[in-house]
Amino acid sequence: MVPLSSDTQTQPTPAMRQAIADAIVGDEQRNLDPTSIELTERICALLGKEAALFLPTGTMCNVLAIKTHTRPSDLIFAEANSHILRAESGGLSSYAGVVISPIATQRGVFGVSDLDEEFYKCTQVPQPYAPPLTLLCMEQTHNFSGGSAWMKSEMKEVYEWAKEKGLNVHTDGARLLNAVIATGTPAKEFARYTDSIWLDFTKGLGAPIGAVLAGSASFIEKARRYKHMYGGAMRQAGIAAAGCVYALDHHIERLQEDHDNCRVLASALDQMDMIEVKNPKPDTNILLFKLKHGESKDLLNHMTTQGIDGGMIGDDIRLITHLDVSNEDIKRTIEVIGNYKG
Ligand SMILES: *Cc1c(COP(=O)(O)O)cnc(C)c1O
């Protein structure tokens, strides 16, 4: 199968497996795992943050960050189709106990006018009636709108608005490095405009396990306690961290190939009469499209029987390029979709 349903499908390469086999390990829970420490130090340098935590998953990064930034019953702002709202099993409400005010957008990126409008709604009645708004979340890149990359100026504007209102700012940066490659903006320049941020190693970076959450020293100290409380403190985690360190050294620049493949796929599908591409010029590695007439699910079934693995997000078929998808795979995918007779 051509594994286009997600960039989480990547298999560790032989060289990454070797780095994992050679990892020097210790007790991560007691902060004695040299490879986890190396990884978090590398991320602090990459993002210009004081401290960082190695965690098993991105979902846990979001949970810990939001728990650390808020108190139960606080109100937080997040995009209406954000991963934290749509795809994390509602964990925020059980772990952090917060209320989300969803901000609807076209492409996953909101601006000051959207925020002003939402803020107005949330402050129509005074406290104690209204829940206290304390946190704003961004998602870089925005998954469900097709991997949209925030520009640095867009993040800056939102961050400054939030600071004016006395809010903390958190960024779900699962695919932050895709945004870095797509925009040419260094990771640090994005991270300046958020108090906490994390990135995932199990998406396009191709590692089997791991994500790193970064922020101020006091933020990370508090988050470390919740990491322990929620069962995320590990033992010889360097086995996993070594794959992440390897990805930092070898798999960042190559994300450009994934973006190029996604563009090629997008423009080919955009030229087919039966197809409506939602993002004909994808910023990064995610493509959304549907049939103009008929059930897109039927097209997806046709693709599956022809060896192309994809997924659905709402009415759209979603295809994601990554290091296990070659130029040849893209050609084959275009051929298979072109052969569909609804
Ligand atoms: C994948 C993803 C997550 C969750 O990461 P896991 O490592 O799978 O827990 C969070 N946010 C976004 C935007 C994602 O794409």
Side-chain angles (χ1 to χ4, degrees), residues 147-342:
S148 308
W150 288 68
M151 299 302 287
K152 173 181 152 181
S153 57
E154 292 167 328
M155 282 188 70
K156 178 172 188 276
E157 173 186 304
V158 164
Y159 180 75
E160 285 169 356
W161 182 93
K163 290 297 143 184
E164 216 170 86
K165 300 283 192 265
L167 312 181
N168 286 318
V169 177
H170 170 65
T171 299
D172 171 342
R175 295 184 182 79
L176 172 70
L177 295 176
N178 291 88
V180 166
I181 294 299
T183 61
T185 302
K188 230 181 236 178
E189 291 296 307
F190 289 125
R192 265 173 78 173
Y193 300 113
T194 183
D195 299 306
S196 58
I197 185 164
W198 63 272
L199 59 100
D200 218 330
F201 289 92
T202 63
K203 304 281 163 80
L205 292 177
I209 303 168
V212 173
L213 172 67
S216 70
S218 63
F219 168 84
I220 290 296
E221 191 184 318
K222 219 173 141 192
R224 189 184 297 280
R225 175 161 177 269
Y226 292 124
K227 171 182 174 177
H228 204 90
M229 187 188 290
Y230 296 156
M234 298 175 279
R235 298 300 185 182
Q236 286 70 35
I239 290 287
C244 305
V245 170
Y246 181 90
L248 286 178
D249 288 333
H250 300 279
H251 289 175
I252 298 178
E253 298 302 325
R254 65 149 309 287
L255 292 171
Q256 185 63 50
E257 294 170 34
D258 303 340
H259 299 176
D260 293 344
N261 277 337
C262 195
R263 280 274 172 128
V264 168
L265 191 55
S267 62
L269 299 197
D270 199 37
Q271 281 161 32
M272 296 181 191
D273 287 340
M274 62 177 172
I275 303 260
E276 182 183 328
V277 180
K278 190 168 189 174
N279 56 335
K281 291 208 163 71
D283 291 346
T284 56
N285 65 333
I286 305 180
L287 182 64
L288 297 171
F289 63 96
K290 62 181 174 195
L291 283 177
K292 283 182 189 153
H293 312 287
E295 291 285 330
S296 297
K297 269 201 201 90
D298 296 339
L299 171 57
L300 187 64
N301 288 339
H302 161 79
M303 290 164 61
T304 310
T305 59
Q306 301 292 310
I308 311 294
D309 184 34
M312 299 286 300
I313 293 287
D315 293 337
D316 292 308
I317 296 177
R318 186 184 67 172
L319 301 182
I320 308 190
T321 56
H322 54 77
L323 79 168
D324 287 348
V325 175
S326 66
N327 300 351
E328 284 307 309
D329 291 335
I330 294 297
K331 278 187 202 147
R332 169 99 189 107
T333 304
I334 294 166
E335 223 172 79
V336 165
I337 295 172
N339 286 338
Y340 180 66
K341 310 263 183 287

